[in-house]
Amino acid sequence: MKKIFFTSAIAASVLFSSIAVAQSVETLRGAGVAEPVAVEDVFQQDEGRFTRNYRQQPPLIPHSVDQYQVDLKANRCLSCHDWTNAGERNAPTLSMTHYQDREGNQLDTVAGTRWFCNQCHVPQADAPALVENTFEPSN
Ligand code: HEC
Ligand code: HEC
């Protein structure tokens, strides 16, 4: 009985002290859970094509991609970039490498290995480097 009383006393004091702590600790984001926090305004989409940093670089995307869904069944990018649509949409056509399977066979539809465009292509932004580095483009 004494033991039970002792443990519940500990539990109670832990409970009370954690309530006290919860009241005094600041949240890491510095705002309440429901309060929206604005993102620093440096990651703006840049229009106009960037030069590639090395020959094999997947070109950066010079337009917004927010509205273009890519999932297992649908790929909105293809509605402009597939060879069947690019002409009338006035968009650059996917290069031949996007129509080649891993055995090297030429296909008429985009290869499965190239389905998830954003795996390789990202929207461009002239933003500060996330990590300090000494990268220089090849020439
Ligand atoms: C509504 C039509 C449209 C859709 C949808 C679209 N694009 Fe584009 N995309 C364009 C046009 C037009 C350009 C050329 C823009 C320019 O040259 O300034 C372009 C340019 C690009 C480029 C640059 C190519 C290069 O050679 O520099 C990439 C990469 C690209 N898009 C990827 C994507 C991806 C990935 C998606 C889907 C998430 C997508 N696009 C959806 C119309 C579209
Ligand atoms: C595995 C990486 C990878 C994936 C996935 C991929 N690409 Fe590319 N893409 C590249 C590379 C690398 C290049 C440049 C070299 C080349 O053309 O193969 C390129 C080139 C392009 C170009 C420029 C073509 C030209 O001739 O200037 C466009 C447009 C493009 N990709 C759009 C897309 C779209 C849309 C998708 C999704 C359907 C996609 N890519 C998926 C790697 C990828």
Side-chain angles (χ1 to χ4, degrees):
M1 186 65 193
K2 203 174 172 191
K3 205 172 172 189
I4 291 171
F5 172 76
F6 185 63
T7 39
S8 58
I10 290 180
S13 65
V14 165
L15 186 68
F16 283 122
S17 60
S18 63
I19 287 170
V21 167
Q23 279 170 343
S24 62
V25 168
E26 283 271 309
T27 62
L28 282 177
R29 66 204 287 267
V33 190
E35 228 175 291
V37 179
V39 178
E40 210 187 325
D41 209 14
V42 290
F43 298 103
Q44 293 280 7
Q45 171 81 48
D46 266 297
E47 302 290 334
R49 293 197 210 175
F50 280 19
T51 315
R52 296 184 201 185
N53 287 313
Y54 50 96
R55 189 175 57 78
Q56 303 89 339
Q57 183 192 333
L60 296 168
I61 308 173
H63 56 71
S64 159
V65 294
D66 294 354
Q67 309 296 320
Y68 305 145
Q69 178 147 358
V70 179
D71 60 31
L72 200 58
K73 298 210 170 102
N75 186 324
R76 284 282 282 146
C77 314
L78 295 176
S79 68
C80 290
H81 288 289
D82 189 48
W83 69 275
T84 52
N85 306 319
E88 80 192 49
R89 290 310 195 104
N90 221 356
T93 312
L94 300 179
S95 62
M96 287 305 292
T97 56
H98 296 63
Y99 298 101
Q100 214 170 56
D101 70 13
R102 57 183 173 183
E103 272 85 45
N105 301 313
Q106 299 289 342
L107 313 167
D108 287 335
T109 51
V110 70
T113 50
R114 299 289 175 126
W115 183 259
F116 293 103
C117 320
N118 303 118
Q119 209 177 305
C120 303
H121 298 280
V122 291
Q124 60 189 22
D126 190 7
L130 289 172
V131 177
E132 203 179 316
N133 64 79
T134 56
F135 176 81
E136 279 182 35
S138 67
N139 46 38

